[in-house]
Amino acid sequence: MNLEAVGSMASDGFGMGGGAAAIAIGLALIVFSFFAYKIYRVALFLIGGLGGGILGLNFLSPIIVSAMAEPAEWVPLVVALACGIIGIVLILALQKFAIFVSGAFLGFLIGNYVSVIIAATNPEFGAGAGKWLVALACAALIGFLSGIIFKPVFIISTGLVGCIGGALSIAGAFGAGNQIATLVGLILGVVVAVFAMIVQFKTTGKKKDKE
């Protein structure tokens, strides 16, 4: 996967629709990044639903569809919704597990961003298993760290994921499949992420860690 491919994906609002939807999703992600820790229980809820939905859509759904003689178009959506609900239930029922899973999910997304940057200069990396190894390594590391020092890891992770993902979504809406637009989105996303982290640390600095 290269920058052009990421731009094309982002222009579709990461599967939620292109154009206005991509811009709306991008802005929502960026705003969320400034307040994620203050509403971290809601954030865990969203991460559980989104994480479960993504896993269901990308891994479980293809297995179910391939086993059906005449799969209907709505099957992937139903599987994603069901997995999303399961993810939410697990998040609400098991707090420590929720912290690890949310950290791992954020780490997986960060690993994907890192893979995109590497693949931009090394296309063979993007075509092989290297991108998955990087994503899984980041998932394991950040998931582990979340269980030890939840607050800083959560703030940094949500800042990076929300701002970079949001910037890519907005950039993609204006330049679908354009490497320059995607690169600008990545750079602006990192810059805004720094401000988001500063805001989160300053607005939660005097409050007891809720871990």
Side-chain angles (χ1 to χ4, degrees):
M1 180 181 291
N2 54 30
L3 287 175
E4 185 173 335
V6 173
S8 297
M9 180 179 67
S11 68
D12 188 41
F14 295 99
M16 300 299 291
I23 295 174
I25 291 170
L27 291 174
L29 286 171
I30 291 173
V31 171
F32 169 76
S33 301
F34 282 81
F35 306 99
Y37 186 76
K38 297 190 74 171
I39 55 170
Y40 94 100
R41 293 186 187 281
V42 176
L44 292 181
F45 180 90
L46 293 175
I47 290 172
L50 183 60
I54 289 176
L55 289 175
L57 184 63
N58 289 282
F59 296 101
L60 183 58
S61 177
I63 297 175
I64 294 177
V65 169
S66 64
M68 299 176 66
E70 297 182 1
E73 294 183 358
W74 48 263
V75 171
L77 178 60
V78 171
V79 172
L81 288 174
C83 290
I85 293 173
I86 293 174
I88 291 172
V89 171
L90 289 175
I91 287 290
L92 295 178
L94 304 168
Q95 177 104 355
K96 290 292 184 182
F97 174 76
I99 290 174
F100 171 79
V101 170
S102 64
F105 177 64
L106 292 169
F108 184 81
L109 295 179
I110 292 173
N112 275 331
Y113 294 153
V114 173
S115 296
V116 167
I117 295 173
I118 297 175
T121 56
N122 185 0
E124 293 183 0
F125 174 85
K131 62 180 181 180
W132 295 110
L133 293 176
V134 171
L136 291 174
C138 288
L141 176 62
I142 295 180
F144 172 76
L145 292 176
S146 294
I148 302 175
I149 45 175
F150 174 65
K151 179 179 175 179
V153 172
F154 188 80
I155 288 176
I156 293 171
S157 298
T158 52
L160 288 173
V161 170
C163 290
I164 294 177
L168 283 174
S169 185
I170 295 171
F174 290 100
N178 188 304
Q179 285 194 348
I180 295 178
T182 305
L183 181 60
V184 170
L186 281 170
I187 295 173
L188 290 178
V190 172
V191 172
V192 177
V194 173
F195 285 101
M197 293 175 205
I198 292 174
V199 169
Q200 286 204 70
F201 277 116
K202 284 188 174 294
T203 56
T204 62
K206 296 181 180 181
K207 294 183 178 181
K208 184 179 179 180
D209 195 330
K210 296 180 181 180
E211 181 180 349

